[in-house]
Amino acid sequence: MTAEQPRHPALAATDPELAALVRAEEQLQADTLRLIPSENYVSQAVLEASGTVLQNKYSEGYPGRRYYEGQQNIDLVETLAIERARSLFGVDHANVQPYSGSPANLAVYLAFAEPGDTVMGMALPMGGHLTHGWGVSATGRWFRGVQYGVRQDDGRIDFDQVRELAMKERPKVIFCGGTALPRTIDFAAFGEIAQESGAVLVADVAHIAGLIAGGAHPSPVPYADVISTTTHKTLRGPRGAMLMCREEHAKAVDKAVFPGLQGGPHNQTTAAIAVALKEAALPSFRTYAESVVANAKALAEALLARGFDLVSGGTDNHLILMDLTPKEVPGKVAAKALDRAGIVVNYNTVPYDPRKPFDPSGVRIGTPSLTSRGLGVEHMAQVAEWIDRGVAAAAKGDEEALAAIRAEVAELMAAYPAPGLTV
Ligand SMILES: *Cc1c(COP(=O)(O)O)cnc(C)c1O
């Protein structure tokens, strides 16, 4: 794009400083190999929908039941998003208003528990999410969080432990799903335990919603009372969230989101969610979801061949959790070095991590973004080689090697333009 015709002309005129930062971020997203498994590139259509005048409108309430007038168009926008969510995931009811994944989960607690009640989820250092009852989160302070984990020997969920804990503690709500789980979630097993113990089962599929929509991960619909998801991870929509449930819970969920927790919905986000859901219903999205998993499996194989220690020994989904202990590099040192090499990852605790959460042993990577750019299994040996060289360079403090990788990465990424970017 030329200097005379900036991408955001009004923004560039009003606030050149901010426009330059947006431009720089776009360049960074173009040049780097983005491996953070919770990130993605949205389509130009999703970007456009999220930057519309829909954002000027207040719409407290739900379609047909609003507290403000002038909803002729907004009602139709939200109804489109709801109907597309119902059809894509095969659910009775969808609420598309939660501002993001954490408020969506808070709404679930509001719907099904009282302060001080016992709730159950996977421990954060085991791969769970903060909002699954972890102590520093409001959900762990206002509720009594009891936490399950994975087995130390194979990194898999220990369902005997989950059942025992649920029967002993009788939680009101059980969360399954997480942020660092490289393996298929057995929703049927969780469903059985929730039924036995009388708990509401919440499947938090924030990370894998796109894989479920694309048929690359089993659906929780037959087993979960409520499904919580963000819309911006593998689902490739705007930053937002949805709650889906059976008809019997529809009223409780809606009441908890509004007026329980939120005011006006972000209509521009609702519109962009509707667009993303339309895209996710296309046959090409099934191909995308399958490729995300095929790429992750190929990358895991290539990393294993290079002596990397992967939690649970590999992956079934889009995500890989590496324990760098055998490489003798702390996760944070590796993550920061890889960032300088143009490979964007995040440091992460591994189960039973002897190191501190702010300086853990692991690095978490994933394939949603690179797959959106069209990279395939044939590229994964190269990606593994860069990671291997980058981690070795981190151990030695070899900045020259990192700069060399950065140049190679930028060259490959230039050949695979990202959706939504103009650079
Ligand atoms: C990302 C994520 C969330 C939170 O989403 P935010 O939009 O960051 O608040 C909740 N649960 C799980 C499992 C997640 O992966």
Side-chain angles (χ1 to χ4, degrees):
M1 199 154 281
T2 62
E4 302 83 61
Q5 196 198 20
R7 172 165 187 177
H8 304 295
L11 180 62
T14 302
D15 193 340
E17 187 184 8
L18 197 281
L21 289 172
V22 174
R23 191 72 182 156
E25 175 60 22
E26 193 173 356
Q27 192 71 55
L28 189 66
Q29 290 187 16
D31 292 345
T32 52
L33 179 60
R34 300 170 70 233
L35 293 180
I36 294 175
S38 49
E39 293 183 347
N40 215 326
Y41 295 93
V42 298
S43 69
Q44 182 64 24
V46 167
L47 270 186
E48 286 180 10
S50 63
T52 54
V53 296
L54 300 181
Q55 89 90 41
N56 294 340
K57 188 69 197 136
Y58 243 110
S59 317
E60 285 185 359
Y62 291 100
R65 298 174 281 142
R66 304 283 191 188
Y67 290 83
Y68 293 73
E69 298 312 313
Q71 308 294 347
Q72 293 84 345
N73 304 304
I74 301 298
D75 273 4
L76 298 178
V77 168
E78 188 168 335
T79 301
L80 255 188
I82 290 168
E83 290 309 319
R84 286 173 182 173
R86 290 181 58 214
S87 143
L88 182 65
F89 289 96
V91 289
D92 293 344
H93 182 73
N95 184 310
V96 296
Q97 294 193 4
Y99 298 142
S100 213
S102 304
N105 286 348
L106 204 51
V108 171
Y109 291 101
L110 188 56
F112 299 104
E114 294 295 327
D117 278 351
T118 300
V119 298
M120 185 166 143
M122 181 179 256
L124 179 71
M126 293 282 177
H129 190 261
L130 278 165
T131 55
H132 296 183
W134 191 245
V136 299
S137 153
T139 64
R141 288 185 52 189
W142 296 343
F143 303 96
R144 191 175 148 267
V146 296
Q147 310 259 278
Y148 58 87
V150 294
R151 283 188 296 254
Q152 188 156 16
D153 54 349
D154 64 0
R156 309 284 181 135
I157 291 172
D158 183 342
F159 280 102
D160 292 336
Q161 185 206 10
V162 176
R163 172 174 281 104
E164 209 172 286
L165 196 61
M167 295 310 287
K168 176 164 163 270
E169 302 287 356
R170 298 285 174 162
K172 282 276 181 64
V173 180
I174 298 176
F175 272 81
C176 62
T179 63
L181 305 179
R183 295 298 180 175
T184 301
I185 298 167
D186 188 345
F187 296 119
F190 276 107
E192 224 172 79
I193 292 169
Q195 246 185 4
E196 256 178 76
S197 62
V200 168
L201 179 65
V202 185
D204 182 350
V205 300
H207 261 263
I208 55 173
L211 304 185
I212 293 167
H217 188 289
S219 167
V221 171
Y223 313 105
D225 295 291
V226 180
I227 299 167
S228 172
T229 186
T230 57
T231 46
H232 48 271
K233 298 179 184 175
T234 51
L235 194 56
R236 223 159 56 175
R239 307 199 78 80
M242 306 192 294
L243 289 172
M244 298 178 279
C245 61
R246 306 199 183 110
E247 195 51 49
E248 60 180 297
H249 299 310
K251 264 210 171 114
V253 164
D254 282 356
K255 256 181 69 186
V257 174
F258 174 85
L261 198 63
Q262 300 189 168
H266 295 178
N267 297 313
Q268 76 284 8
T269 301
T270 306
I273 289 173
V275 175
L277 291 169
K278 179 170 185 176
E279 291 175 348
L282 297 173
S284 56
F285 197 84
R286 288 191 88 79
T287 311
Y288 168 68
E290 283 160 16
S291 305
V292 166
V293 175
N295 282 341
K297 284 180 188 285
L299 182 54
E301 284 306 317
L303 288 166
L304 287 169
R306 289 176 174 278
F308 280 87
D309 180 7
L310 309 186
V311 172
S312 84
T315 183
D316 298 326
N317 54 31
H318 64 302
L319 183 149
I320 296 166
L321 187 56
M322 308 193 283
D323 182 350
L324 294 179
T325 308
K327 298 282 183 185
E328 298 183 341
V329 189
K332 196 173 185 175
V333 172
K336 291 195 172 295
L338 288 170
D339 193 49
R340 296 198 292 283
I343 298 169
V344 189
V345 304
N346 68 276
Y347 60 86
N348 214 98
T349 52
V350 296
Y352 304 94
D353 205 323
R355 301 177 64 92
K356 297 260 184 309
F358 197 60
D359 186 19
S361 301
V363 158
R364 188 183 70 148
I365 61 177
T367 51
S369 295
L370 65 80
T371 307
S372 288
R373 295 185 75 154
L375 266 62
V377 289
E378 67 276 18
H379 297 106
M380 294 306 112
Q382 177 62 77
V383 172
E385 195 257 351
W386 282 330
I387 292 170
D388 196 7
R389 263 163 69 203
V391 169
K396 289 182 292 190
D398 185 349
E399 291 301 320
E400 239 170 78
L402 296 175
I405 297 168
R406 188 179 186 97
E408 290 173 34
V409 167
E411 192 184 327
L412 179 71
M413 297 329 284
Y416 291 86
L421 304 195
T422 56
V423 294

